[in-house]
Amino acid sequence: MSVLNRLSAATRRRPTRQGARKRLTDSFERLRTSALPIVQCALAAGLAWWVAKDLVGHQQPFFAPIAAVVSLGLGLGARLRRSVELVCGVTVGIGVGDLLVSLIGSGPWQIALVVTIAMSTAVALNSGPIFAMQAGNSAVLVATLLPPGGTGGPDRMVDALVGGLTGIAVVAMIPTHPVRRARRNAAEILATASEVLRKVETGLVENNPKPIEDALKQARATQPAIDSMRTHLKGGREISRISPLYWNSRKRLAVLTAAADPIDHAMRNIRVLARRSLTLVRDDEILDPRLVQRFAEVADAVDVLREMVLAEPGEQPDQAEAARVLRSIAKKMDPELIAGAGVSATVVFAQMRSLIVDLLQIAGLKRITAIATLPSTVEHPAYDPDE
């Protein structure tokens, strides 16, 4: 390799100031997002140790803070289930381990057998990964450290229960907002959807595939945000049940939960829409300018949906306002827009109609009602269109 090539390669490997700044920003954002769960885990660990040692009377209740941290974790979803799985896993592991070690003793093959039976029992009883893992861990502990028939096994079961219950109590006392994080995810996805639609429109107007290619990459990158939204919704449902501070948030949470599937489906339709639009441009197929205009109109409507998701109760726009905007676009999706058109134009038209149905469901309409807002494409439609 020449000196020039080596210098060029070294330059590419050297982190740029912009790259370092981005990594620092990403790290700060991760820390900001995880700050409250970290505080909850730390507080639960300390409280669990205090309860198990000073109130219950265990001398070395090391598993109580471990159980509290494991049951909470940094993820905000399914914490109640994690706590139950942990306690049950410990119970199964200690029970199986104590019984078998009393019969067959302790050693390499005994440990392997005890772990196999304990984890197999846990998997047969429950599919949760924490359940099986804690059963295996507890079986190892019994087979190596705790004397059979002693109090170590039952004490550890009590410590697991203390840790799990303490974790739940901390979540109830210092809860995350059950709606805010999921709402932020939904708004982020909708903002991306609007931007993608505008880029596709630009590519169609300019007959240029580059903006559409960029839009397609952007649309495909939304799946982590969708997964995060679902996780936060699951965690929000738990918080709204166990924390009296947020019992009044259940209605808002139910509305956002109902919108989760339509948001997911809308992004899937947008990806297909972008792919087919890219094919259309590459094939130099003509698209009715009125249909091209629908992209900008739907993007504007998605912006209204985003504002609706972020709005507090009583603020505008609400679901009724978002539905009104979308209905006005739906009525323009007449089959005459693709009269004599090619395959790609027809697919774009169909995908746009499907997308509008998804968006109307985000605005609170039932699917049948949303379909009925569109002009009919057949003589005898399954659902009569609104007049």
Side-chain angles (χ1 to χ4, degrees):
M1 181 185 291
S2 68
V3 174
L4 184 61
N5 288 338
R6 285 199 297 270
L7 287 173
S8 177
T11 301
R12 286 196 300 270
R13 288 194 298 269
R14 188 182 303 126
T16 63
R17 183 176 300 177
Q18 184 178 4
R21 188 182 298 115
K22 184 180 185 304
R23 285 194 294 273
L24 185 61
T25 301
D26 291 344
S27 297
F28 177 78
E29 179 61 23
R30 288 195 300 270
L31 183 59
R32 186 189 66 81
T33 302
S34 301
L36 184 56
I38 289 172
V39 170
Q40 289 175 329
C41 287
L43 182 59
L47 282 175
W49 175 272
W50 175 74
V51 170
K53 188 174 190 299
D54 294 350
L55 299 186
V56 178
H58 292 173
Q59 291 304 307
Q60 292 294 326
F62 67 92
F63 195 68
I66 292 175
V69 172
V70 171
S71 66
L72 292 181
L74 292 182
L76 296 176
R79 286 173 154 190
L80 186 59
R81 175 170 177 166
R82 282 204 298 268
S83 297
V84 173
E85 287 181 357
L86 186 143
V87 174
C88 292
V90 169
T91 303
V92 169
I94 289 176
V96 171
D98 200 42
L99 176 63
L100 290 179
V101 170
S102 299
L103 297 175
I104 63 177
S106 182
W109 70 267
Q110 289 95 332
I111 291 174
L113 180 61
V114 166
V115 170
T116 300
I117 295 176
M119 294 188 74
S120 298
T121 303
V123 170
L125 293 174
N126 186 286
S127 61
I130 292 179
F131 192 175
M133 190 62 64
Q134 288 305 319
N137 291 341
S138 301
V140 169
L141 187 65
V142 169
T144 56
L145 296 179
L146 301 180
T151 61
D155 284 354
R156 189 175 187 234
M157 291 165 57
V158 173
D159 289 344
L161 181 61
V162 168
L165 292 177
T166 302
I168 294 171
V170 167
V171 170
M173 292 185 297
I174 312 176
T176 55
H177 196 289
V179 179
R180 186 175 295 138
R181 289 173 184 254
R183 185 175 62 179
R184 193 183 304 137
N185 291 137
E188 175 189 342
I189 296 162
L190 292 171
T192 301
S194 174
E195 191 174 343
V196 167
L197 289 168
R198 295 186 196 283
K199 286 182 178 180
V200 172
E201 184 211 14
T202 299
L204 291 170
V205 170
E206 298 176 355
N207 200 32
N208 179 8
K210 185 63 172 66
I212 305 178
E213 290 170 356
D214 293 342
L216 188 54
K217 288 180 183 177
Q218 194 173 358
R220 285 170 173 163
T222 56
Q223 195 57 48
I226 293 172
D227 295 339
S228 183
M229 175 185 67
R230 292 189 183 279
T231 298
H232 288 147
L233 284 171
K234 186 182 296 184
R237 284 195 294 273
E238 285 190 355
I239 292 169
S240 68
R241 287 198 298 266
I242 66 177
S243 176
L245 297 174
Y246 288 118
W247 283 346
N248 62 352
S249 67
R250 293 176 184 175
K251 184 176 180 181
R252 291 178 64 199
L253 189 63
V255 170
L256 190 55
T257 300
D261 281 345
I263 288 174
D264 190 356
H265 297 161
M267 281 309 309
R268 294 174 190 272
N269 270 318
I270 287 174
R271 290 173 201 145
V272 177
L273 192 59
R275 274 202 311 272
R276 182 52 66 170
S277 296
L278 185 60
T279 300
L280 187 144
V281 169
R282 286 172 174 168
D283 290 345
D284 203 23
E285 189 175 331
I286 301 300
L287 195 64
D288 191 305
R290 293 173 296 173
L291 186 52
V292 176
Q293 186 181 350
R294 296 293 97 84
F295 280 83
E297 293 173 355
V298 173
D300 289 340
V302 172
D303 286 336
V304 175
L305 285 173
R306 177 181 176 276
E307 294 172 10
M308 177 202 79
V309 167
L310 293 174
E312 297 295 335
E315 294 181 350
Q316 292 292 326
D318 57 9
Q319 285 188 318
E321 172 62 17
R324 184 191 65 78
V325 173
L326 284 162
R327 283 178 187 273
S328 66
I329 301 171
K331 294 184 182 300
K332 300 176 185 178
M333 293 300 295
D334 194 277
E336 67 171 357
L337 294 175
I338 52 169
V343 173
S344 291
T346 303
V347 173
V348 166
F349 173 76
Q351 287 300 136
M352 183 68 77
R353 285 169 62 99
S354 294
L355 173 59
I356 290 172
V357 170
D358 294 331
L359 299 177
L360 281 166
Q361 290 180 84
I362 298 172
L365 272 66
K366 299 293 186 183
R367 185 172 182 274
I368 294 176
T369 306
I371 293 173
T373 63
L374 295 162
S376 176
T377 57
V378 294
E379 186 176 352
H380 300 291
Y383 312 110
D384 292 330
D386 292 340
E387 297 299 335

Short mmCIF file of all heavy atoms in Angstrom, two decimals, residues 27 73 110 190 228 236 331 349 381:
data_model
loop_
_atom_site.label_atom_id
_atom_site.label_comp_id
_atom_site.label_asym_id
_atom_site.label_seq_id
_atom_site.Cartn_x
_atom_site.Cartn_y
_atom_site.Cartn_z
N SER A 27 -24.80 9.21 23.83
CA SER A 27 -24.58 8.71 25.18
C SER A 27 -25.39 9.49 26.21
O SER A 27 -25.99 8.91 27.12
CB SER A 27 -23.08 8.80 25.54
OG SER A 27 -22.31 7.98 24.69
N GLY A 73 -34.93 -3.70 36.31
CA GLY A 73 -34.14 -3.54 35.11
C GLY A 73 -34.26 -2.14 34.55
O GLY A 73 -34.93 -1.26 35.11
N GLN A 110 -23.78 -33.91 39.31
CA GLN A 110 -24.99 -33.60 40.08
C GLN A 110 -25.47 -32.17 39.77
O GLN A 110 -26.66 -31.92 39.62
CB GLN A 110 -24.73 -33.76 41.57
CG GLN A 110 -24.55 -35.20 42.03
CD GLN A 110 -23.10 -35.58 42.09
OE1 GLN A 110 -22.28 -35.04 41.35
NE2 GLN A 110 -22.76 -36.53 42.97
N LEU A 190 -44.62 9.35 13.62
CA LEU A 190 -45.47 10.13 12.73
C LEU A 190 -44.69 11.27 12.06
O LEU A 190 -44.95 11.60 10.90
CB LEU A 190 -46.66 10.69 13.52
CG LEU A 190 -47.67 9.63 13.99
CD1 LEU A 190 -48.68 10.25 14.95
CD2 LEU A 190 -48.39 9.00 12.80
N SER A 228 -40.14 0.19 20.58
CA SER A 228 -40.03 0.94 21.84
C SER A 228 -41.39 1.45 22.29
O SER A 228 -41.72 1.42 23.48
CB SER A 228 -39.05 2.09 21.67
OG SER A 228 -38.86 2.79 22.87
N GLY A 236 -46.56 1.18 30.60
CA GLY A 236 -47.54 2.17 31.04
C GLY A 236 -48.80 1.54 31.60
O GLY A 236 -49.38 2.04 32.58
N LYS A 331 -62.03 11.67 0.48
CA LYS A 331 -63.07 11.88 -0.53
C LYS A 331 -62.49 12.20 -1.91
O LYS A 331 -63.17 12.10 -2.92
CB LYS A 331 -64.01 12.98 -0.08
CG LYS A 331 -64.83 12.61 1.16
CD LYS A 331 -65.82 13.68 1.53
CE LYS A 331 -66.60 13.30 2.80
NZ LYS A 331 -67.35 12.04 2.63
N PHE A 349 -51.86 4.18 -5.92
CA PHE A 349 -53.22 4.62 -5.58
C PHE A 349 -53.82 3.73 -4.48
O PHE A 349 -54.38 4.23 -3.48
CB PHE A 349 -54.09 4.57 -6.84
CG PHE A 349 -55.54 4.84 -6.61
CD1 PHE A 349 -56.02 6.11 -6.39
CD2 PHE A 349 -56.46 3.78 -6.61
CE1 PHE A 349 -57.37 6.35 -6.18
CE2 PHE A 349 -57.81 4.01 -6.41
CZ PHE A 349 -58.26 5.29 -6.19
N PRO A 381 -69.57 -2.39 -3.35
CA PRO A 381 -68.55 -2.46 -2.29
C PRO A 381 -69.08 -3.17 -1.05
O PRO A 381 -70.28 -3.19 -0.78
CB PRO A 381 -68.25 -0.98 -2.00
CG PRO A 381 -69.51 -0.26 -2.36
CD PRO A 381 -70.07 -1.02 -3.55
#
